[in-house]
């Protein structure tokens, strides 16, 4: 049997297998992120458009404290960018703002980095397509009440995973912006170290 073993075809087979696996993995990830971006761009819950997010931040931390930071960086102009201009961008406006704040924190205040949330999102998003595919297989292969029930559960699971990913992306954006501002509030003279809530309102814990 060992005499019949040919190393070259075996290596080619392994290389092709790895290449196909990597390609499928990237298609899975990119496709899932494309669906997630479409969901968020449509404004469906739990989406939180940047103007609404900054209105909330101004209410919680104070308009002067927020404006004192965002006027220092041109990237915050994306907050009030028109819908027509936003459609011309390759990614959602909040993606650029989140990336800017994350990279700034990683360089200036690594202890406040949001890297953990990014890792969680990248892991969980890989489960969306396989779960949806499992639903399709169950619907088509099991022509019974059990197959319909299992397929429905799997489809609901895929939608719920995508919802949770979108929620995590929204929270990651807000956390990156708030932490970015907090570092600046600590550094700017005559700026409150811990801005108080407007009218004594309690903060919402996402």
């Amino acid at each position: 049997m060992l005499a019949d073993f040919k190393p070259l075809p075996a290596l080619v087979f392994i290389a092709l297998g790895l290449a196909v696996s990597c390609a499928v993995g990237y298609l899975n990830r990119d496709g899932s992120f494309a669906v997630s971006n479409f969901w968020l761009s449509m404004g469906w819950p739990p989406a939180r458009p940047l103007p609404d997010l900054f209105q909330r931040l101004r209410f919680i931390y104070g308009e002067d404290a927020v404006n004192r930071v965002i006027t220092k960086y041109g990237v915050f102009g994306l907050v009030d960018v028109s819908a027509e201009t936003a459609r011309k961008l390759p990614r959602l406006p909040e993606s650029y703002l989140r990336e800017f704040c994350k990279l700034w924190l990683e360089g200036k205040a690594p202890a406040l980095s949001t890297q953990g949330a990014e890792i969680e999102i990248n892991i969980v998003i890989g489960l969306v397509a396989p779960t949806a595919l499992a639903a399709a297989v169950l619907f088509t292969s099991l022509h019974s009440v059990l197959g319909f029930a299992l397929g429905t559960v799997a489809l609901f699971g895929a939608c719920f995973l995508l919802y949770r990913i979108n929620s995590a992306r929204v929270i990651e954006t807000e956390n990156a912006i708030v932490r970015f501002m907090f570092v600046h509030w600590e550094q700017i003279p005559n700026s409150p170290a811990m801005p108080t809530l407007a009218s004594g309102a309690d903060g919402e814990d996402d």
Side-chain angles (χ1 to χ4, degrees):
M1 255 180 104
L2 290 176
D4 296 332
F5 178 74
K6 297 180 180 180
L8 185 58
L11 289 175
V12 171
F13 178 79
I14 293 173
L16 286 174
L18 289 174
V20 171
S21 298
C22 290
V24 171
Y26 275 112
L27 286 173
N28 175 19
R29 180 183 182 277
D30 293 347
S32 298
F33 267 117
V35 175
S36 174
N37 288 335
F38 175 77
W39 182 321
L40 293 175
S41 67
M42 295 301 293
W44 300 334
R48 190 176 299 160
L50 285 177
D52 295 345
L53 172 59
F54 274 82
Q55 183 179 6
R56 175 185 180 184
L57 294 180
R58 288 186 174 96
F59 172 76
I60 296 174
Y61 299 106
E63 187 168 352
D64 181 64
V66 173
N67 291 341
R68 200 180 303 177
V69 176
I70 66 177
T71 53
K72 297 169 66 70
Y73 300 93
V75 69
F76 285 97
L78 291 172
V79 174
D80 299 314
V81 71
S82 66
E84 182 180 352
T85 303
R87 282 193 292 269
K88 297 178 181 178
L89 297 173
R91 293 184 289 162
L92 297 173
E94 48 263 45
S95 298
Y96 297 99
L97 191 54
R98 179 177 62 246
E99 183 177 8
F100 174 81
C101 292
K102 284 169 57 177
L103 291 175
W104 194 96
L105 288 169
E106 288 174 9
K108 303 289 186 179
L112 297 178
S113 173
T114 59
Q115 190 71 26
E118 182 179 359
I119 294 172
E120 178 185 356
I121 291 170
N122 281 299
I123 292 175
V124 177
I125 201 163
L127 302 175
V128 175
T131 306
L133 182 61
V137 170
L138 289 169
F139 280 133
T140 56
S141 62
L142 298 179
H143 303 286
S144 63
V145 175
L146 178 60
F148 179 80
L150 292 176
T152 301
V153 170
L155 183 61
F156 175 80
C159 293
F160 180 75
L161 283 173
L162 192 57
Y163 178 90
R164 290 301 304 166
I165 289 167
N166 290 340
S167 179
R169 295 180 70 185
V170 170
I171 294 172
E172 182 193 13
T173 299
E174 182 171 352
N175 286 342
I177 294 171
V178 170
R179 294 177 188 187
F180 175 86
M181 290 186 173
F182 180 80
V183 176
H184 284 74
W185 287 328
E186 289 291 305
Q187 296 173 349
I188 297 176
N190 302 320
S191 179
M194 286 295 291
T196 55
L197 298 176
S199 305
D202 293 330
E204 178 183 341
D205 185 12
D206 287 316

mmCIF file with all atom_site columns, all heavy atoms in Angstrom, residues 55-75:
data_model
loop_
_atom_site.group_PDB
_atom_site.id
_atom_site.type_symbol
_atom_site.label_atom_id
_atom_site.label_alt_id
_atom_site.label_comp_id
_atom_site.label_asym_id
_atom_site.label_entity_id
_atom_site.label_seq_id
_atom_site.pdbx_PDB_ins_code
_atom_site.Cartn_x
_atom_site.Cartn_y
_atom_site.Cartn_z
_atom_site.occupancy
_atom_site.B_iso_or_equiv
_atom_site.pdbx_formal_charge
_atom_site.auth_seq_id
_atom_site.auth_comp_id
_atom_site.auth_asym_id
_atom_site.auth_atom_id
_atom_site.pdbx_PDB_model_num
ATOM 1   N N   . GLN A 1 55 ? -26.611 62.856 19.458 1.00 0.00 ? 55 GLN A N   1
ATOM 2   C CA  . GLN A 1 55 ? -27.646 63.556 20.221 1.00 0.00 ? 55 GLN A CA  1
ATOM 3   C C   . GLN A 1 55 ? -27.762 62.955 21.615 1.00 0.00 ? 55 GLN A C   1
ATOM 4   O O   . GLN A 1 55 ? -27.902 63.673 22.622 1.00 0.00 ? 55 GLN A O   1
ATOM 5   C CB  . GLN A 1 55 ? -28.986 63.467 19.491 1.00 0.00 ? 55 GLN A CB  1
ATOM 6   C CG  . GLN A 1 55 ? -30.112 64.226 20.179 1.00 0.00 ? 55 GLN A CG  1
ATOM 7   C CD  . GLN A 1 55 ? -31.420 64.121 19.405 1.00 0.00 ? 55 GLN A CD  1
ATOM 8   O OE1 . GLN A 1 55 ? -31.514 63.396 18.418 1.00 0.00 ? 55 GLN A OE1 1
ATOM 9   N NE2 . GLN A 1 55 ? -32.430 64.840 19.857 1.00 0.00 ? 55 GLN A NE2 1
ATOM 10  N N   . ARG A 1 56 ? -27.669 61.642 21.679 1.00 0.00 ? 56 ARG A N   1
ATOM 11  C CA  . ARG A 1 56 ? -27.717 60.949 22.970 1.00 0.00 ? 56 ARG A CA  1
ATOM 12  C C   . ARG A 1 56 ? -26.488 61.284 23.805 1.00 0.00 ? 56 ARG A C   1
ATOM 13  O O   . ARG A 1 56 ? -26.589 61.536 25.014 1.00 0.00 ? 56 ARG A O   1
ATOM 14  C CB  . ARG A 1 56 ? -27.800 59.445 22.725 1.00 0.00 ? 56 ARG A CB  1
ATOM 15  C CG  . ARG A 1 56 ? -27.748 58.597 23.971 1.00 0.00 ? 56 ARG A CG  1
ATOM 16  C CD  . ARG A 1 56 ? -27.717 57.128 23.609 1.00 0.00 ? 56 ARG A CD  1
ATOM 17  N NE  . ARG A 1 56 ? -27.663 56.292 24.794 1.00 0.00 ? 56 ARG A NE  1
ATOM 18  C CZ  . ARG A 1 56 ? -27.556 54.986 24.763 1.00 0.00 ? 56 ARG A CZ  1
ATOM 19  N NH1 . ARG A 1 56 ? -27.499 54.359 23.608 1.00 0.00 ? 56 ARG A NH1 1
ATOM 20  N NH2 . ARG A 1 56 ? -27.503 54.276 25.878 1.00 0.00 ? 56 ARG A NH2 1
ATOM 21  N N   . LEU A 1 57 ? -25.292 61.307 23.172 1.00 0.00 ? 57 LEU A N   1
ATOM 22  C CA  . LEU A 1 57 ? -24.066 61.627 23.904 1.00 0.00 ? 57 LEU A CA  1
ATOM 23  C C   . LEU A 1 57 ? -24.095 63.050 24.447 1.00 0.00 ? 57 LEU A C   1
ATOM 24  O O   . LEU A 1 57 ? -23.633 63.303 25.569 1.00 0.00 ? 57 LEU A O   1
ATOM 25  C CB  . LEU A 1 57 ? -22.851 61.443 22.988 1.00 0.00 ? 57 LEU A CB  1
ATOM 26  C CG  . LEU A 1 57 ? -22.552 60.011 22.525 1.00 0.00 ? 57 LEU A CG  1
ATOM 27  C CD1 . LEU A 1 57 ? -21.326 59.986 21.617 1.00 0.00 ? 57 LEU A CD1 1
ATOM 28  C CD2 . LEU A 1 57 ? -22.343 59.081 23.713 1.00 0.00 ? 57 LEU A CD2 1
ATOM 29  N N   . ARG A 1 58 ? -24.642 63.977 23.662 1.00 0.00 ? 58 ARG A N   1
ATOM 30  C CA  . ARG A 1 58 ? -24.735 65.365 24.137 1.00 0.00 ? 58 ARG A CA  1
ATOM 31  C C   . ARG A 1 58 ? -25.680 65.480 25.326 1.00 0.00 ? 58 ARG A C   1
ATOM 32  O O   . ARG A 1 58 ? -25.463 66.268 26.238 1.00 0.00 ? 58 ARG A O   1
ATOM 33  C CB  . ARG A 1 58 ? -25.191 66.270 22.987 1.00 0.00 ? 58 ARG A CB  1
ATOM 34  C CG  . ARG A 1 58 ? -24.129 66.491 21.913 1.00 0.00 ? 58 ARG A CG  1
ATOM 35  C CD  . ARG A 1 58 ? -24.601 67.521 20.877 1.00 0.00 ? 58 ARG A CD  1
ATOM 36  N NE  . ARG A 1 58 ? -23.549 67.834 19.925 1.00 0.00 ? 58 ARG A NE  1
ATOM 37  C CZ  . ARG A 1 58 ? -23.424 67.265 18.731 1.00 0.00 ? 58 ARG A CZ  1
ATOM 38  N NH1 . ARG A 1 58 ? -24.318 66.348 18.333 1.00 0.00 ? 58 ARG A NH1 1
ATOM 39  N NH2 . ARG A 1 58 ? -22.434 67.602 17.923 1.00 0.00 ? 58 ARG A NH2 1
ATOM 40  N N   . PHE A 1 59 ? -26.744 64.682 25.298 1.00 0.00 ? 59 PHE A N   1
ATOM 41  C CA  . PHE A 1 59 ? -27.682 64.700 26.423 1.00 0.00 ? 59 PHE A CA  1
ATOM 42  C C   . PHE A 1 59 ? -27.040 64.128 27.689 1.00 0.00 ? 59 PHE A C   1
ATOM 43  O O   . PHE A 1 59 ? -27.220 64.654 28.794 1.00 0.00 ? 59 PHE A O   1
ATOM 44  C CB  . PHE A 1 59 ? -28.935 63.897 26.063 1.00 0.00 ? 59 PHE A CB  1
ATOM 45  C CG  . PHE A 1 59 ? -29.884 63.703 27.220 1.00 0.00 ? 59 PHE A CG  1
ATOM 46  C CD1 . PHE A 1 59 ? -30.697 64.737 27.647 1.00 0.00 ? 59 PHE A CD1 1
ATOM 47  C CD2 . PHE A 1 59 ? -29.959 62.483 27.884 1.00 0.00 ? 59 PHE A CD2 1
ATOM 48  C CE1 . PHE A 1 59 ? -31.560 64.560 28.716 1.00 0.00 ? 59 PHE A CE1 1
ATOM 49  C CE2 . PHE A 1 59 ? -30.821 62.300 28.949 1.00 0.00 ? 59 PHE A CE2 1
ATOM 50  C CZ  . PHE A 1 59 ? -31.627 63.348 29.370 1.00 0.00 ? 59 PHE A CZ  1
ATOM 51  N N   . ILE A 1 60 ? -26.277 63.046 27.528 1.00 0.00 ? 60 ILE A N   1
ATOM 52  C CA  . ILE A 1 60 ? -25.692 62.376 28.684 1.00 0.00 ? 60 ILE A CA  1
ATOM 53  C C   . ILE A 1 60 ? -24.497 63.140 29.249 1.00 0.00 ? 60 ILE A C   1
ATOM 54  O O   . ILE A 1 60 ? -24.409 63.390 30.457 1.00 0.00 ? 60 ILE A O   1
ATOM 55  C CB  . ILE A 1 60 ? -25.271 60.938 28.319 1.00 0.00 ? 60 ILE A CB  1
ATOM 56  C CG1 . ILE A 1 60 ? -26.502 60.098 27.947 1.00 0.00 ? 60 ILE A CG1 1
ATOM 57  C CG2 . ILE A 1 60 ? -24.523 60.276 29.473 1.00 0.00 ? 60 ILE A CG2 1
ATOM 58  C CD1 . ILE A 1 60 ? -26.179 58.706 27.434 1.00 0.00 ? 60 ILE A CD1 1
ATOM 59  N N   . TYR A 1 61 ? -23.570 63.525 28.361 1.00 0.00 ? 61 TYR A N   1
ATOM 60  C CA  . TYR A 1 61 ? -22.302 64.098 28.825 1.00 0.00 ? 61 TYR A CA  1
ATOM 61  C C   . TYR A 1 61 ? -22.239 65.616 28.737 1.00 0.00 ? 61 TYR A C   1
ATOM 62  O O   . TYR A 1 61 ? -21.286 66.216 29.248 1.00 0.00 ? 61 TYR A O   1
ATOM 63  C CB  . TYR A 1 61 ? -21.144 63.494 28.018 1.00 0.00 ? 61 TYR A CB  1
ATOM 64  C CG  . TYR A 1 61 ? -21.034 62.004 28.175 1.00 0.00 ? 61 TYR A CG  1
ATOM 65  C CD1 . TYR A 1 61 ? -21.415 61.146 27.145 1.00 0.00 ? 61 TYR A CD1 1
ATOM 66  C CD2 . TYR A 1 61 ? -20.569 61.439 29.362 1.00 0.00 ? 61 TYR A CD2 1
ATOM 67  C CE1 . TYR A 1 61 ? -21.327 59.771 27.292 1.00 0.00 ? 61 TYR A CE1 1
ATOM 68  C CE2 . TYR A 1 61 ? -20.483 60.073 29.515 1.00 0.00 ? 61 TYR A CE2 1
ATOM 69  C CZ  . TYR A 1 61 ? -20.864 59.237 28.480 1.00 0.00 ? 61 TYR A CZ  1
ATOM 70  O OH  . TYR A 1 61 ? -20.782 57.872 28.628 1.00 0.00 ? 61 TYR A OH  1
ATOM 71  N N   . GLY A 1 62 ? -23.206 66.225 28.088 1.00 0.00 ? 62 GLY A N   1
ATOM 72  C CA  . GLY A 1 62 ? -23.205 67.673 27.970 1.00 0.00 ? 62 GLY A CA  1
ATOM 73  C C   . GLY A 1 62 ? -22.750 68.107 26.583 1.00 0.00 ? 62 GLY A C   1
ATOM 74  O O   . GLY A 1 62 ? -21.755 67.597 26.066 1.00 0.00 ? 62 GLY A O   1
ATOM 75  N N   . GLU A 1 63 ? -23.482 69.051 25.995 1.00 0.00 ? 63 GLU A N   1
ATOM 76  C CA  . GLU A 1 63 ? -23.187 69.473 24.624 1.00 0.00 ? 63 GLU A CA  1
ATOM 77  C C   . GLU A 1 63 ? -21.809 70.104 24.519 1.00 0.00 ? 63 GLU A C   1
ATOM 78  O O   . GLU A 1 63 ? -21.070 69.850 23.568 1.00 0.00 ? 63 GLU A O   1
ATOM 79  C CB  . GLU A 1 63 ? -24.263 70.464 24.157 1.00 0.00 ? 63 GLU A CB  1
ATOM 80  C CG  . GLU A 1 63 ? -24.133 70.831 22.696 1.00 0.00 ? 63 GLU A CG  1
ATOM 81  C CD  . GLU A 1 63 ? -25.357 71.561 22.176 1.00 0.00 ? 63 GLU A CD  1
ATOM 82  O OE1 . GLU A 1 63 ? -26.353 71.653 22.911 1.00 0.00 ? 63 GLU A OE1 1
ATOM 83  O OE2 . GLU A 1 63 ? -25.298 72.035 21.020 1.00 0.00 ? 63 GLU A OE2 1
ATOM 84  N N   . ASP A 1 64 ? -21.440 70.917 25.509 1.00 0.00 ? 64 ASP A N   1
ATOM 85  C CA  . ASP A 1 64 ? -20.141 71.591 25.447 1.00 0.00 ? 64 ASP A CA  1
ATOM 86  C C   . ASP A 1 64 ? -18.997 70.590 25.516 1.00 0.00 ? 64 ASP A C   1
ATOM 87  O O   . ASP A 1 64 ? -18.008 70.706 24.783 1.00 0.00 ? 64 ASP A O   1
ATOM 88  C CB  . ASP A 1 64 ? -20.028 72.598 26.603 1.00 0.00 ? 64 ASP A CB  1
ATOM 89  C CG  . ASP A 1 64 ? -18.720 73.350 26.567 1.00 0.00 ? 64 ASP A CG  1
ATOM 90  O OD1 . ASP A 1 64 ? -18.486 74.093 25.597 1.00 0.00 ? 64 ASP A OD1 1
ATOM 91  O OD2 . ASP A 1 64 ? -17.907 73.179 27.505 1.00 0.00 ? 64 ASP A OD2 1
ATOM 92  N N   . ALA A 1 65 ? -19.112 69.581 26.379 1.00 0.00 ? 65 ALA A N   1
ATOM 93  C CA  . ALA A 1 65 ? -18.046 68.578 26.530 1.00 0.00 ? 65 ALA A CA  1
ATOM 94  C C   . ALA A 1 65 ? -17.850 67.783 25.245 1.00 0.00 ? 65 ALA A C   1
ATOM 95  O O   . ALA A 1 65 ? -16.720 67.503 24.842 1.00 0.00 ? 65 ALA A O   1
ATOM 96  C CB  . ALA A 1 65 ? -18.370 67.640 27.692 1.00 0.00 ? 65 ALA A CB  1
ATOM 97  N N   . VAL A 1 66 ? -18.951 67.431 24.575 1.00 0.00 ? 66 VAL A N   1
ATOM 98  C CA  . VAL A 1 66 ? -18.859 66.658 23.340 1.00 0.00 ? 66 VAL A CA  1
ATOM 99  C C   . VAL A 1 66 ? -18.306 67.517 22.207 1.00 0.00 ? 66 VAL A C   1
ATOM 100 O O   . VAL A 1 66 ? -17.388 67.110 21.486 1.00 0.00 ? 66 VAL A O   1
ATOM 101 C CB  . VAL A 1 66 ? -20.241 66.078 22.955 1.00 0.00 ? 66 VAL A CB  1
ATOM 102 C CG1 . VAL A 1 66 ? -20.187 65.424 21.579 1.00 0.00 ? 66 VAL A CG1 1
ATOM 103 C CG2 . VAL A 1 66 ? -20.697 65.059 23.996 1.00 0.00 ? 66 VAL A CG2 1
ATOM 104 N N   . ASN A 1 67 ? -18.856 68.721 22.041 1.00 0.00 ? 67 ASN A N   1
ATOM 105 C CA  . ASN A 1 67 ? -18.417 69.593 20.949 1.00 0.00 ? 67 ASN A CA  1
ATOM 106 C C   . ASN A 1 67 ? -16.955 70.001 21.097 1.00 0.00 ? 67 ASN A C   1
ATOM 107 O O   . ASN A 1 67 ? -16.261 70.218 20.098 1.00 0.00 ? 67 ASN A O   1
ATOM 108 C CB  . ASN A 1 67 ? -19.294 70.841 20.889 1.00 0.00 ? 67 ASN A CB  1
ATOM 109 C CG  . ASN A 1 67 ? -20.711 70.525 20.442 1.00 0.00 ? 67 ASN A CG  1
ATOM 110 O OD1 . ASN A 1 67 ? -20.966 69.477 19.860 1.00 0.00 ? 67 ASN A OD1 1
ATOM 111 N ND2 . ASN A 1 67 ? -21.636 71.422 20.711 1.00 0.00 ? 67 ASN A ND2 1
ATOM 112 N N   . ARG A 1 68 ? -16.477 70.099 22.328 1.00 0.00 ? 68 ARG A N   1
ATOM 113 C CA  . ARG A 1 68 ? -15.094 70.492 22.565 1.00 0.00 ? 68 ARG A CA  1
ATOM 114 C C   . ARG A 1 68 ? -14.113 69.477 21.982 1.00 0.00 ? 68 ARG A C   1
ATOM 115 O O   . ARG A 1 68 ? -12.992 69.819 21.622 1.00 0.00 ? 68 ARG A O   1
ATOM 116 C CB  . ARG A 1 68 ? -14.860 70.637 24.074 1.00 0.00 ? 68 ARG A CB  1
ATOM 117 C CG  . ARG A 1 68 ? -13.652 71.478 24.451 1.00 0.00 ? 68 ARG A CG  1
ATOM 118 C CD  . ARG A 1 68 ? -13.502 71.561 25.956 1.00 0.00 ? 68 ARG A CD  1
ATOM 119 N NE  . ARG A 1 68 ? -14.716 72.100 26.565 1.00 0.00 ? 68 ARG A NE  1
ATOM 120 C CZ  . ARG A 1 68 ? -14.878 72.223 27.890 1.00 0.00 ? 68 ARG A CZ  1
ATOM 121 N NH1 . ARG A 1 68 ? -13.924 71.821 28.702 1.00 0.00 ? 68 ARG A NH1 1
ATOM 122 N NH2 . ARG A 1 68 ? -15.983 72.720 28.380 1.00 0.00 ? 68 ARG A NH2 1
ATOM 123 N N   . VAL A 1 69 ? -14.551 68.239 21.877 1.00 0.00 ? 69 VAL A N   1
ATOM 124 C CA  . VAL A 1 69 ? -13.683 67.188 21.342 1.00 0.00 ? 69 VAL A CA  1
ATOM 125 C C   . VAL A 1 69 ? -13.857 67.042 19.835 1.00 0.00 ? 69 VAL A C   1
ATOM 126 O O   . VAL A 1 69 ? -12.869 67.002 19.087 1.00 0.00 ? 69 VAL A O   1
ATOM 127 C CB  . VAL A 1 69 ? -13.973 65.833 22.033 1.00 0.00 ? 69 VAL A CB  1
ATOM 128 C CG1 . VAL A 1 69 ? -13.135 64.728 21.409 1.00 0.00 ? 69 VAL A CG1 1
ATOM 129 C CG2 . VAL A 1 69 ? -13.685 65.934 23.526 1.00 0.00 ? 69 VAL A CG2 1
ATOM 130 N N   . ILE A 1 70 ? -15.084 66.976 19.367 1.00 0.00 ? 70 ILE A N   1
ATOM 131 C CA  . ILE A 1 70 ? -15.310 66.656 17.957 1.00 0.00 ? 70 ILE A CA  1
ATOM 132 C C   . ILE A 1 70 ? -14.876 67.787 17.027 1.00 0.00 ? 70 ILE A C   1
ATOM 133 O O   . ILE A 1 70 ? -14.603 67.527 15.844 1.00 0.00 ? 70 ILE A O   1
ATOM 134 C CB  . ILE A 1 70 ? -16.790 66.287 17.695 1.00 0.00 ? 70 ILE A CB  1
ATOM 135 C CG1 . ILE A 1 70 ? -17.713 67.478 17.922 1.00 0.00 ? 70 ILE A CG1 1
ATOM 136 C CG2 . ILE A 1 70 ? -17.202 65.121 18.571 1.00 0.00 ? 70 ILE A CG2 1
ATOM 137 C CD1 . ILE A 1 70 ? -19.173 67.166 17.592 1.00 0.00 ? 70 ILE A CD1 1
ATOM 138 N N   . THR A 1 71 ? -14.791 69.017 17.527 1.00 0.00 ? 71 THR A N   1
ATOM 139 C CA  . THR A 1 71 ? -14.345 70.115 16.672 1.00 0.00 ? 71 THR A CA  1
ATOM 140 C C   . THR A 1 71 ? -12.849 70.058 16.394 1.00 0.00 ? 71 THR A C   1
ATOM 141 O O   . THR A 1 71 ? -12.361 70.779 15.518 1.00 0.00 ? 71 THR A O   1
ATOM 142 C CB  . THR A 1 71 ? -14.689 71.468 17.312 1.00 0.00 ? 71 THR A CB  1
ATOM 143 O OG1 . THR A 1 71 ? -14.168 71.516 18.654 1.00 0.00 ? 71 THR A OG1 1
ATOM 144 C CG2 . THR A 1 71 ? -16.194 71.685 17.359 1.00 0.00 ? 71 THR A CG2 1
ATOM 145 N N   . LYS A 1 72 ? -12.122 69.206 17.095 1.00 0.00 ? 72 LYS A N   1
ATOM 146 C CA  . LYS A 1 72 ? -10.679 69.099 16.920 1.00 0.00 ? 72 LYS A CA  1
ATOM 147 C C   . LYS A 1 72 ? -10.294 68.153 15.789 1.00 0.00 ? 72 LYS A C   1
ATOM 148 O O   . LYS A 1 72 ? -9.150  68.136 15.349 1.00 0.00 ? 72 LYS A O   1
ATOM 149 C CB  . LYS A 1 72 ? -10.015 68.629 18.232 1.00 0.00 ? 72 LYS A CB  1
ATOM 150 C CG  . LYS A 1 72 ? -10.177 69.595 19.391 1.00 0.00 ? 72 LYS A CG  1
ATOM 151 C CD  . LYS A 1 72 ? -9.744  68.975 20.701 1.00 0.00 ? 72 LYS A CD  1
ATOM 152 C CE  . LYS A 1 72 ? -8.253  68.690 20.729 1.00 0.00 ? 72 LYS A CE  1
ATOM 153 N NZ  . LYS A 1 72 ? -7.454  69.931 20.799 1.00 0.00 ? 72 LYS A NZ  1
ATOM 154 N N   . TYR A 1 73 ? -11.247 67.318 15.315 1.00 0.00 ? 73 TYR A N   1
ATOM 155 C CA  . TYR A 1 73 ? -10.929 66.296 14.318 1.00 0.00 ? 73 TYR A CA  1
ATOM 156 C C   . TYR A 1 73 ? -11.951 66.343 13.185 1.00 0.00 ? 73 TYR A C   1
ATOM 157 O O   . TYR A 1 73 ? -13.164 66.259 13.422 1.00 0.00 ? 73 TYR A O   1
ATOM 158 C CB  . TYR A 1 73 ? -10.924 64.906 14.952 1.00 0.00 ? 73 TYR A CB  1
ATOM 159 C CG  . TYR A 1 73 ? -9.918  64.754 16.068 1.00 0.00 ? 73 TYR A CG  1
ATOM 160 C CD1 . TYR A 1 73 ? -10.279 64.985 17.391 1.00 0.00 ? 73 TYR A CD1 1
ATOM 161 C CD2 . TYR A 1 73 ? -8.594  64.395 15.791 1.00 0.00 ? 73 TYR A CD2 1
ATOM 162 C CE1 . TYR A 1 73 ? -9.356  64.848 18.422 1.00 0.00 ? 73 TYR A CE1 1
ATOM 163 C CE2 . TYR A 1 73 ? -7.666  64.252 16.817 1.00 0.00 ? 73 TYR A CE2 1
ATOM 164 C CZ  . TYR A 1 73 ? -8.052  64.488 18.124 1.00 0.00 ? 73 TYR A CZ  1
ATOM 165 O OH  . TYR A 1 73 ? -7.134  64.353 19.137 1.00 0.00 ? 73 TYR A OH  1
ATOM 166 N N   . GLY A 1 74 ? -11.442 66.430 11.947 1.00 0.00 ? 74 GLY A N   1
ATOM 167 C CA  . GLY A 1 74 ? -12.314 66.528 10.794 1.00 0.00 ? 74 GLY A CA  1
ATOM 168 C C   . GLY A 1 74 ? -13.158 65.297 10.536 1.00 0.00 ? 74 GLY A C   1
ATOM 169 O O   . GLY A 1 74 ? -14.221 65.385 9.920  1.00 0.00 ? 74 GLY A O   1
ATOM 170 N N   . VAL A 1 75 ? -12.694 64.130 11.022 1.00 0.00 ? 75 VAL A N   1
ATOM 171 C CA  . VAL A 1 75 ? -13.424 62.894 10.758 1.00 0.00 ? 75 VAL A CA  1
ATOM 172 C C   . VAL A 1 75 ? -14.827 62.926 11.363 1.00 0.00 ? 75 VAL A C   1
ATOM 173 O O   . VAL A 1 75 ? -15.736 62.240 10.873 1.00 0.00 ? 75 VAL A O   1
ATOM 174 C CB  . VAL A 1 75 ? -12.638 61.679 11.305 1.00 0.00 ? 75 VAL A CB  1
ATOM 175 C CG1 . VAL A 1 75 ? -12.606 61.679 12.826 1.00 0.00 ? 75 VAL A CG1 1
ATOM 176 C CG2 . VAL A 1 75 ? -13.202 60.376 10.770 1.00 0.00 ? 75 VAL A CG2 1
#
